[in-house]
Amino acid sequence: EIQQYFLKEAAKYEKKVMVLDFVTPTPQGSSWGLGGTCVNVGCIPKKLMHQAALLGQALQDSRKFGWQFTEEVKHNWMTMTESVQNYIGSLNWGYRVALRDNKVTYENAYGEFVGPHTIKATNKKGIEKLYTAERFIIATGERPRYLGIPGDKEYCLSSDDLFSLPYCPGKTLVVGASYVALECAGFLAGLGLDVTVMVRSILLRGFDQDMANRIGEYMKEHGVNFIREFVPIKVEQVEEGTPGILKVTAKSTAGDQMIEGEYNTVLLAIGRDPCTRKIGLDKVGVNINEKTGKIPVNDEEQTNVSYIYAVGDILQDKLELTPVAIQAGRLLVRRLYAGATTKCDYVNVPTTVFTPLEYGACGYSEETAVEKFGEENIEVYHSHFWPLEWTVPSRDNNKCYAKIICNIQDNERVIGFHVLGPNAGEVTQGFAAAIKCGLTKEQLDNTVGIHPVCAEVCIQSHLKAHGILG
Amino acid sequence: ALGAEGAPRSGGGAAGWGLRSGAGAAPENEYDLLVIGGGSGGLACAKEAAQFGRKVAVMDYVEPSPQGTSWGLGGTCVNVGCIPKKLMHQAALLGSALKDAQHYGWNISQPVHHTWSVMAQGVQNYVKSLNWGHRVQLQEKKVKYFNIKGSFSDPHTVCGLTKAGKETVVTADNIVIATGGRPKYPMDVAGALEYGITSDDLFWLKESPGKTLVVGASYVSLECAGFLTGIGLDTTVMMRSVPLRGFDQQMASLVTEHMESYGTKFLKRCFPTKVEKLKSNRLQVTWKNADLDTEETDSFDTVMWAVGRAPDTKTLNLETVGVKTNSETGKIIVDASEATSVPHIYAVGDITEGRPELTPTAIAAGKLLAQRLFGQSSELMDYDNVPTTVFAPLEYGCVGLSEEAAVQRYGSDNIEVYHAFYKPLEFTVAERDATQCYMKMVCLREREQRILGLHFIGPNAGEVIQGFALGIKCGATYPQMMKTVGIHPTCAEEVTKLHITKRSGLDATVTGC
């Protein structure tokens, strides 16, 4: 997807542009069309399946609001997946058309450097072609990591497989504590499936840990099982089928205890690895971080080789988010071909985790704020809230939560925003814009709320300062 | 501050600011503060004053509607406004969700029917819990509550009768009038009062209103007609002229266009002439169609008037104490510190002239007033750039200037309007029509490109706009918006990607995922 944006940009400046895109099928055989992770096996199908789960909850709520239906409503995985895949197909098609309309040459081929300014493209049939270019942009993204244990590639799925799975996954074990793991576990449970999440240590590493734990608690209270401090050491097939039955053996990280469990599906969500090891970077001298595979770039997305750039998930020390990649790619092309100087602003990039209780965040977590500024120099304002729409159906009245972190030494500048509740992404976006404008606590207090919505709680002056991390 | 009227009481502070140091109520007054009206503004003011250790009393009284509807403590918002409105709007949205659910794989047989009484009971019970909550809060904060209809006998004395007929007299150093407003009835339509209801009654109906005619073009009219349509009722809106007067008219048209495709019927450029009751108990409405110059009739189960609200000042006896009101609107004239023309008498909320009729502004104004009176603060309420949302079936949220107002103030050559038609991701699989999903940002054209107004139609419009309102409070500019990275996939992110101007004439439809 990123390529679309900047390649369309480049073509706008009448540069001769080509894009190579190729999807190596997963161990299970899944593959997809043009558009990258976000469109095919990330943001888009994830949000649609999350929506399916939310609609299940809406069905429950609707009875209390007067809607009459007596039967227990069941979910059909195939109906949902077909609709989702059809929509994705339309996006793949849309990108093909857009590239063509912008006169960008597209090849469905695997690209790798073979020498300076030269790339070899191999298509599905194995036919090779060589291309030369003045400049190159690497945006190959990442793929899910496997555990490296017996049975992982043979029997386990990853997010690359889940969104096009042609059968209901059934009783599922999700291995991992990333947002991928929790978002998938969340919607699978919301669709009525028996879901267990196996976590090695903490949830959502890198995110505000108080918020992460609240997310976990909510999921637990709403039917997701958690196995904490265990890692799988082998996966065996008990029965073939769609789905079949798999036996998972796991070992405790805190001792010698071993456990076993049987599941229809095991979904691995333990991290993603950049696709940088097999594209000939060594042939042209592009440095990568040997341990992580990520590519270090300067603040203009340039690698150590002056004519080779990189954007997106493969970048070292940058956020793995679609809008960041798009922004970076667009601005890069403008700098290269339109004489612009604006660089991508990676500071205060907002994000949202689409777990059953959504979490929107922008800026510092409480821990990193304390670490950077010192506990005595930050003030935290917080509040629980009960969305009005949850009152009549008597849903949880103390789970939704908002937290604002301010830097006392800088005019009580808002340096962190966190909200846990419905439509967290919609709520957070505007706050991120305000933070970009240098929002202070005083300006927050002076802004009138919209009533009755969840977002207004974030600005209400009854937020109380509390003991930091207390 | 306005000039003082009548002899100032001893011990009073400067008119308009009311800063007092130390000391409790002057010996001859029983309370430091009396608030007349227990709604959003009044309660916020009273509770805040109580925090400063002051002796505070609240008088609240609900005159039953012509149809006999009444309610408890909390004012319009809690009982017959924001709260029940949003809950019934949610009921309607859930109806759409039920249809969507089928596309997302949920095996629910359509159509699903709605029972008014189940919804009404749920909503009314919640509202009653809020009434109770307010009573308890007042008690906890030691605020004295009088359920009486008060009227002034002098600038520091208010008296009234309890429901049981007992006369009560309350004296206070400072008095805040926060009696809000009530729906208007059309004066020139026979049968309007006897047979029609208003929003005061709608939310308390025990049985379904059935086939309903909503008369008016206000947000009250459109929001009510919207949710009535959404729960499956045959609903018609009759409008004399433009919808949502005072709001951006392009956005207002999109709202009504959506409602039409949603199933609400519109009788445009029509006004009613009489309402009669039929033997079947249905109501026969006769109206004039201004465009066709014809007279038409139809019958309805319910006729609801939503033709505006009038300030509730009739029984206050304002003339006796000299509190000035606007001759056209009847609202109380206040200055920037919420002071009326009489020293020590203030007003907040819907009753005040020139202020937005919104709960959050009333609450904020009430709190700040209490802080100025008793808390040594000098901070005034900032009524600029107040965001709001119309909870029509497709919600409309906005902050700042409408396009027309910006053009009028700055000239069309000096403003730039960025706009986009977009499609919420959730609409795709649900096969929902996104024709009216639209947003626009009105900016100054000069170098900095400060944002003057932001308008958004789509799901969760209030949630989207709130944060951007903060940005506008910080003086946000178009470049700052563009520097903000979007959250994907949301509707709100499209605001940070706006780049097609109206001036360019280019197609403003967002493509891609």
Side-chain angles (χ1 to χ4, degrees):
Chain A
E1 184 185 326
I2 326 133
Q3 291 177 341
Q4 306 305 316
Y5 280 88
F6 65 64
L7 293 170
K8 282 189 273 184
E9 286 281 337
K12 252 185 357 199
Y13 304 111
E14 287 172 11
K15 295 295 170 178
K16 217 170 150 209
V17 184
M18 161 181 250
V19 59
L20 297 176
D21 185 64
F22 191 85
V23 179
T24 306
T26 72
Q28 297 296 328
S30 308
S31 186
W32 49 87
L34 183 60
T37 297
C38 172
V39 164
N40 294 286
V41 287
C43 329
I44 300 302
K46 173 269 296 286
K47 188 100 192 291
L48 289 169
M49 293 196 175
H50 170 66
Q51 174 70 354
L54 290 179
L55 287 171
Q57 178 69 68
L59 281 169
Q60 298 310 314
D61 289 354
S62 71
R63 284 190 169 105
K64 290 285 177 61
F65 279 93
W67 293 96
Q68 307 290 298
F69 52 97
T70 47
E71 78 266 30
E72 194 200 326
V73 183
K74 292 249 185 303
H75 185 260
N76 184 305
W77 174 269
M78 288 315 305
T79 305
M80 173 185 74
T81 308
E82 255 172 56
S83 300
V84 170
Q85 288 301 314
N86 282 344
Y87 177 63
I88 292 173
S90 75
L91 293 178
N92 299 141
W93 179 249
Y95 284 124
R96 298 281 300 262
V97 168
L99 286 183
R100 198 183 54 212
D101 288 350
N102 282 283
K103 301 199 187 6
V104 173
T105 310
Y106 161 64
E107 285 240 2
N108 183 215
Y110 186 94
E112 43 188 320
F113 287 97
V114 289
H117 291 273
T118 311
I119 206 152
K120 175 176 81 172
T122 311
N123 71 8
K124 277 195 184 105
K125 297 185 180 135
I127 297 170
E128 296 174 1
K129 285 192 200 160
L130 287 180
Y131 296 103
T132 59
E134 193 188 340
R135 290 195 179 103
F136 293 84
I137 300 179
I138 307 168
T140 48
E142 301 183 303
R143 296 297 289 270
R145 191 179 300 151
Y146 282 77
L147 282 167
I149 61 171
D152 65 353
K153 293 210 168 112
E154 296 94 298
Y155 307 123
C156 299
L157 304 183
S158 73
S159 53
D160 278 359
D161 306 295
L162 182 66
F163 301 112
S164 56
L165 203 61
Y167 55 85
C168 180
K171 179 179 175 188
T172 304
L173 173 70
V174 178
V175 181
S178 57
Y179 68 79
V180 176
L182 298 186
E183 286 176 343
C184 290
F187 72 68
L188 289 173
L191 299 177
L193 302 180
D194 178 339
V195 178
T196 304
V197 180
M198 186 177 287
V199 176
R200 188 177 50 85
S201 71
I202 61 172
L203 299 178
L204 295 173
R205 183 178 298 279
F207 285 85
D208 185 290
Q209 283 299 291
D210 181 50
M211 305 306 280
N213 289 328
R214 287 168 186 269
I215 290 171
E217 279 309 308
Y218 183 89
M219 287 175 70
K220 212 159 70 170
E221 282 166 24
H222 288 263
V224 177
N225 308 302
F226 279 83
I227 299 178
R228 306 291 299 249
E229 297 185 341
F230 272 85
V231 289
I233 56 168
K234 73 176 167 191
V235 179
E236 298 162 289
Q237 188 177 65
V238 172
E239 205 177 283
E240 260 190 77
T242 53
I245 302 179
L246 301 171
K247 186 169 92 171
V248 178
T249 309
K251 182 173 180 304
S252 164
T253 58
D256 286 325
Q257 196 196 350
M258 303 266 269
I259 55 170
E260 282 178 359
E262 283 192 358
Y263 305 89
N264 295 123
T265 297
V266 176
L267 179 73
L268 302 179
I270 55 167
R272 295 173 67 78
D273 291 320
C275 301
T276 51
R277 310 255 189 206
K278 295 185 189 161
I279 55 173
L281 291 182
D282 50 318
K283 301 263 178 9
V284 283
V286 171
N287 289 339
I288 66 169
N289 179 310
E290 278 311 318
K291 180 161 166 249
T292 64
K294 294 222 173 183
I295 302 182
V297 292
N298 62 17
D299 65 359
E300 295 183 324
E301 285 79 37
Q302 192 179 37
T303 68
N304 61 307
V305 177
S306 63
Y307 65 90
I308 300 179
Y309 300 81
V311 289
D313 288 3
I314 53 172
L315 294 189
Q316 180 165 276
D317 298 327
K318 299 284 193 280
L319 297 157
E320 291 176 11
L321 295 170
T322 281
V324 171
I326 293 177
Q327 184 99 303
R330 252 207 183 117
L331 293 173
L332 169 62
V333 167
R334 289 201 194 130
R335 291 194 304 272
L336 291 178
Y337 301 114
T341 51
T342 313
K343 298 185 196 172
C344 188
D345 185 348
Y346 291 101
V347 173
N348 288 326
V349 172
T351 184
T352 298
V353 181
F354 294 98
T355 32
L357 192 57
E358 296 180 6
Y359 166 39
C362 183
Y364 289 91
S365 67
E366 202 172 326
E367 309 86 276
T368 45
V370 165
E371 200 184 285
K372 172 140 192 198
F373 299 98
E375 197 175 321
E376 64 286 3
N377 293 319
I378 66 164
E379 195 76 272
V380 181
Y381 298 89
H382 69 161
S383 180
H384 284 93
F385 62 98
W386 198 20
L388 182 62
E389 292 74 13
W390 291 21
T391 58
V392 165
S394 302
R395 285 172 62 186
D396 309 274
N397 66 352
N398 64 344
K399 291 288 180 279
C400 295
Y401 178 74
K403 172 164 83 170
I404 294 188
I405 305 170
C406 301
N407 182 353
I408 297 177
Q409 293 181 310
D410 180 21
N411 223 357
E412 272 212 296
R413 183 100 29 213
V414 176
I415 57 172
F417 171 86
H418 303 263
V419 66
L420 195 61
N423 304 302
E426 307 294 2
V427 173
T428 303
Q429 182 70 84
F431 282 86
I435 287 175
K436 190 59 83 177
C437 299
L439 179 70
T440 62
K441 180 67 168 60
E442 193 184 328
Q443 287 167 320
L444 193 77
D445 290 344
N446 286 339
T447 303
V448 181
I450 297 172
H451 185 68
V453 299
C454 295
E456 67 178 313
V457 76
C458 303
I459 65 169
Q460 272 163 12
S461 51
H462 73 259
L463 291 183
K464 291 188 185 61
H466 71 152
I468 311 302
L469 301 180
Chain B
L2 299 169
E5 297 264 343
R9 307 282 291 212
S10 56
W17 289 89
L19 288 172
R20 296 178 43 131
S21 49
E28 56 269 38
N29 291 324
E30 206 188 336
Y31 291 93
D32 291 307
L33 175 70
L34 167 64
V35 177
I36 311 175
S40 302
L43 291 179
C45 187
K47 290 179 200 171
E48 189 73 11
Q51 307 267 65
F52 294 108
R54 296 299 180 158
K55 210 170 166 215
V56 184
V58 169
M59 256 181 213
D60 185 68
Y61 186 85
V62 180
E63 185 72 47
S65 74
Q67 296 295 333
T69 313
S70 187
W71 50 85
L73 181 62
T76 296
C77 171
V78 164
N79 294 286
V80 285
C82 328
I83 301 298
K85 173 268 298 287
K86 187 98 192 292
L87 288 170
M88 292 197 175
H89 169 65
Q90 172 70 355
L93 292 182
L94 287 171
S96 294
L98 288 170
K99 292 193 190 126
D100 288 353
Q102 206 167 25
H103 292 272
Y104 280 87
W106 293 99
N107 292 330
I108 176 164
S109 37
Q110 310 280 345
V112 184
H113 292 286
H114 185 264
T115 301
W116 174 274
S117 53
V118 173
M119 172 184 74
Q121 202 172 69
V123 172
Q124 288 155 20
N125 282 345
Y126 177 65
V127 169
K128 287 180 188 155
S129 76
L130 293 180
N131 300 139
W132 179 249
H134 281 303
R135 294 283 301 262
V136 165
Q137 273 190 354
L138 288 184
Q139 237 167 27
E140 280 172 0
K141 293 185 198 290
K142 303 203 195 335
V143 173
K144 177 80 182 155
Y145 164 61
F146 295 100
N147 185 214
I148 65 173
K149 182 158 72 172
S151 46
F152 282 94
S153 42
D154 74 44
H156 290 272
T157 311
V158 177
C159 51
L161 293 173
T162 64
K163 281 204 179 94
K166 178 172 158 221
E167 170 154 309
T168 309
V169 178
V170 179
T171 56
D173 277 2
N174 299 283
I175 299 176
V176 175
I177 307 168
T179 49
R182 295 296 289 267
K184 283 187 199 168
Y185 279 78
M187 295 325 295
D188 51 353
V189 178
L193 199 63
E194 299 98 291
Y195 304 124
I197 64 167
T198 68
S199 53
D200 278 359
D201 310 293
L202 181 68
F203 299 113
W204 294 95
L205 292 179
K206 295 278 185 282
E207 296 302 324
S208 171
K211 179 181 173 188
T212 304
L213 172 69
V214 182
V215 181
S218 56
Y219 68 80
V220 174
S221 171
L222 299 185
E223 287 176 344
C224 291
F227 70 69
L228 291 174
T229 307
I231 59 175
L233 300 179
D234 180 339
T235 312
T236 305
V237 172
M238 185 182 293
M239 303 194 298
R240 197 174 41 87
S241 78
V242 300
L244 297 173
R245 184 179 298 280
F247 284 86
D248 185 287
Q249 283 299 292
Q250 178 194 16
M251 306 309 280
S253 299
L254 288 169
V255 167
T256 52
E257 259 169 49
H258 176 266
M259 286 177 71
E260 282 178 284
S261 66
Y262 188 66
T264 308
K265 298 179 215 167
F266 279 83
L267 290 167
K268 295 178 188 169
R269 308 257 298 136
C270 294
F271 55 92
T273 52
K274 65 179 173 203
V275 181
E276 298 160 295
K277 194 152 206 178
L278 298 171
K279 278 204 187 78
S280 60
N281 258 343
R282 266 201 160 185
L283 300 171
Q284 172 120 313
V285 180
T286 309
W287 67 88
K288 278 230 170 70
N289 183 316
D291 279 340
L292 305 174
D293 199 25
T294 53
E295 200 176 71
E296 287 155 18
T297 70
D298 195 1
S299 63
F300 301 90
D301 295 312
T302 301
V303 175
M304 187 184 119
W305 308 109
V307 295
R309 294 173 68 80
D312 200 350
T313 54
K314 271 189 301 304
T315 57
L316 281 171
N317 230 356
L318 294 179
E319 315 73 37
T320 307
V321 289
V323 170
K324 291 206 169 102
T325 58
N326 177 298
S327 52
E328 204 186 296
T329 64
K331 292 190 178 188
I332 297 178
I333 298 172
V334 290
D335 67 10
S337 66
E338 273 59 70
T340 67
S341 52
V342 178
H344 310 296
I345 299 182
Y346 305 84
V348 291
D350 288 4
I351 198 97
T352 50
E353 175 62 34
R355 306 287 193 230
E357 288 178 8
L358 296 168
T359 278
T361 50
I363 291 177
K367 277 197 175 133
L368 287 172
L369 174 61
Q371 286 168 12
R372 290 193 304 274
L373 289 176
F374 306 114
Q376 265 91 61
S377 164
S378 55
E379 196 186 334
L380 297 176
M381 176 65 190
D382 183 355
Y383 288 100
D384 269 342
N385 290 322
V386 171
T388 186
T389 298
V390 176
F391 294 98
L394 195 61
E395 298 176 5
Y396 164 40
C398 59
V399 59
L401 299 179
S402 65
E403 194 176 331
E404 312 77 285
V407 167
Q408 198 179 66
R409 200 184 285 196
Y410 298 98
S412 56
D413 281 343
N414 296 318
I415 64 161
E416 196 76 90
V417 181
Y418 296 91
H419 68 154
F421 284 93
Y422 69 98
K423 187 165 190 171
L425 180 62
E426 292 73 14
F427 279 33
T428 58
V429 164
E431 293 178 21
R432 276 222 245 167
D433 182 12
T435 309
Q436 288 88 22
C437 290
Y438 176 80
M439 61 181 79
K440 70 179 174 184
M441 192 186 292
V442 182
C443 308
L444 278 174
R445 214 169 163 195
E446 57 168 13
R447 213 176 312 137
E448 264 199 1
Q449 294 190 286
R450 189 164 56 86
I451 301 171
L452 301 171
L454 180 63
H455 302 262
F456 174 93
I457 290 189
N460 306 301
E463 309 292 6
V464 171
I465 290 286
Q466 182 70 85
F468 289 105
L470 275 176
I472 286 177
K473 192 58 89 174
C474 302
T477 64
Y478 177 75
Q480 280 174 317
M481 233 15 83
M482 293 306 110
K483 271 178 82 173
T484 306
V485 180
I487 298 173
H488 188 65
T490 61
C491 296
E493 66 175 309
E494 298 302 333
V495 177
T496 66
K497 291 151 75 175
L498 286 168
H499 62 284
I500 304 281
T501 61
K502 278 198 178 180
R503 182 171 271 114
S504 71
L506 294 171
D507 178 13
T509 309
V510 168
T511 50
C513 67

